[in-house]
Amino acid sequence: MTDQGHHEEWRAEQRYVGGLYARLDAERARARRAYRAALRGDGESPMDRDVRIRALASQVRRLEVADSGLCFGRLDTESGERHYVGRIGILDEDDDYAPLLLDWRAPAARPFYTATAAHPEELRRRRRFRTHGRRLVDFSDEHFGDLREDAGGDEALLAAVNAPRGAGMRDIVATIQAEQDEIIRLEHPGVTVIEGGPGTGKTVVALHRVAYLLYTQRERIARHGVLVVGPNPAFLDHIGRVLPALGETDVVVATPGDLVPGLSVTAEDTPAAARAKGSLAILDVLAGAVADRQQLPDEPLDIELQDLTVRIDAATAQWAREEARASGRPHNEAREVFREIVVYVLTERAIGRIGRGWLTRDDRTAWEQMRAELIDELAEHEGFAAAIDALWPVLTPRDVLATLYTSPERLRAAGADPALLRAVGDAWTVSDVPLLDELVDLLGRDPAAARAQERRVTAEERAEAEYAAGVMEILTLDGEELDEDLGVRVTDLTHAGVLAERFEETDTRDLAERAAADRDWTYRHVVVDEAQELSAMDWRVLMRRCPGHGFTVVGDLAQRRSPAGATSWGEVLDRYVPGRWVYRSLTVNYRTPAEVMAVAAGVLAAFAPGVAPPESVRASGVVPWSRRVAADELPAAIAAFVADEEGRPGTSVVIGPPDVPGATAPSATKGLEFDAVLVVEPERILADGPRGAAELYVALTRATQRLGVLHREPLPAVLQGLTEVGVAVASR
């Protein structure tokens, strides 16, 4: 195509893209008007209005985020059809809803990602757009049919991977590759495991897979939402814009430490404690810790009633405890059984003593009347309540664990590892979260508290109804004033219940907010990133959150650092979903340049010799460097790196041991990417054994352009391939 022809094509494509934006703007304006109308109310019930408001809010958000990269390509078929592909679908209402823009997830759009010269999938040409805002900058074409691919076919991909990094992970919707697309569109109802080394795009592929599932199975998935679990808050911020940019907002993002609402994780376990807490053997410890709180009295407990004193002895408590445990109910709910048995024994004994000589069981009416009186007296007796509390207390998960951790005696009684002992019981760690979650089910709810709550709700409802009835009696406003002042019509006020319903507070939180705050919420799909770090107990939490076991699991076993993490996917998944999980791997590294990967490969070979590093698709042209410094030179060398990078586009980070000022720990950078990385004192990172080697591998592979290393001790053998330089900014 001549330059003139290319320019004319560009102008035509710009007009088409401009037309798409005009339709997007019109649709967005309609959605906003409908949303505002729904907020005002139109005679619907509060529940129906709430559903409508949320649906319209979701539609508005979807249209808002479509502005960036609305259309990124075109497909020309052998039959002469032309299809534009973009972030969302746009239909022509004036032409029988013909597609003006295909949603990238639509089946007809798939060849945009999968067609090759050898398998053109009935395409004649694939055109990729490069845009800036709403402006079409340029385009490149690939022509099919002659068993060769135009060199321009890789331009969009290479431009994307070479561009400076921003604050968050970018969606790859315009540059998805064939091996990634196959995983994104995989029709598998169970668990899909995506494994890949650094830079293979496994995380963003998983997120696009969720967007695809929400597109194809929206009715099944959207009402319950999607949970995305990542390793740390920085990572969640990093990926936070990907799904919203794809128009999907009913997503909860959380770290493993966030899975118990309201819990604050403030401490870190020793490796021994983390290993013990992550093992399924801890289930017996938790059961033992709960059982240890179900006591027998050392001496009989006297309960002084009005007419006599009764005693709760060890035999009575033993029988009650056996019956309560045999009921199969959680601890707090089984307390009712324990109490009933104790009440039965005490009332039987009391009746026998009070009625000696004049009352027998044959006089059933008198016997039961006396029992009822004694039961009422015990129900109000503070001493009896205290005795039940001492023998079978109402427990909370936090109380059980905090008490267990600070008591060597309770740890021994529960059969726990002594490594769990700590000075501050409620200094919660990430490894405590699955244990607290498990205890929620082991303990159950307090029935007495639940009944009290129900009584309060009933009283509030009765008060609201009485208030509404009173308003109806004194209300004298005419119909126009009612509409204006209260948002109701006179015809709506057919009975007091309608008015009460109008004043009722509704939950206006969106799905993600409600789900994140509800421990019992269940999701239709869960994405687990850095899944190799999760313990067996972590997996129990996630399986409870998703009873349908629809998971996309992302990880790299070679990067495992957790002592309780997975050593194989089968070890984890065969326990929960035998025969219902599939494995896919990504082998191409789109992020890490070949120069950096060559350095990291030496570390990988040292601690995981059987694992092949992913193959980088590009070279940056910048040689990684190292510099040995004295202790007093280290701060200045770090400052020089930071100052140098401040003058460059993109992002940078200093990674090193926690006590190095200005450095970020390797574990906190998992899943993140930076244009430039400075690794400080790798010899100290490696000193942490196999976990240290994995962390150094993570640190090195965060770089997308430039890598430098500062070391005080001799350079570790696994890094001898680095070029030693004299100044810290020699990467220029």
Side-chain angles (χ1 to χ4, degrees), residues 373-407:
E373 293 172 355
L374 289 168
I375 289 174
D376 290 342
E377 186 174 356
L378 287 172
E380 301 297 328
H381 197 288
E382 293 182 0
F384 179 71
I388 296 297
D389 285 342
L391 300 176
W392 197 287
V394 174
L395 297 176
T396 67
R398 300 187 192 193
D399 172 54
V400 171
L401 270 195
T403 303
L404 176 68
Y405 290 153
T406 56
S407 171

Side-chain angles (χ1 to χ4, degrees), residues 355-376:
R356 184 176 296 140
W358 64 272
L359 180 62
T360 67
R361 288 183 182 277
D362 293 337
D363 190 351
R364 186 175 184 83
T365 300
W367 189 285
E368 292 301 328
Q369 181 179 350
M370 185 175 293
R371 180 194 298 280
E373 293 172 355
L374 289 168
I375 289 174
D376 290 342

Side-chain angles (χ1 to χ4, degrees), residues 618-697:
R618 67 188 177 94
S620 67
V622 179
V623 178
W625 55 268
S626 65
R627 177 190 173 195
R628 188 173 184 179
V629 295
D632 58 351
E633 296 176 314
L634 185 60
I638 294 174
F641 168 82
V642 172
D644 183 58
E645 289 300 332
E646 284 179 351
R648 301 172 183 259
T651 59
S652 63
V653 68
V654 177
I655 304 177
D659 59 350
V660 174
T664 301
S667 60
T669 65
K670 295 202 73 158
L672 308 184
E673 56 185 40
F674 305 88
D675 291 272
V677 171
L678 179 68
V679 178
V680 179
E681 299 195 84
E683 63 275 18
R684 290 180 57 199
I685 299 174
L686 275 173
D688 200 11
R691 183 170 74 168
E695 292 206 331
L696 180 57
Y697 182 63

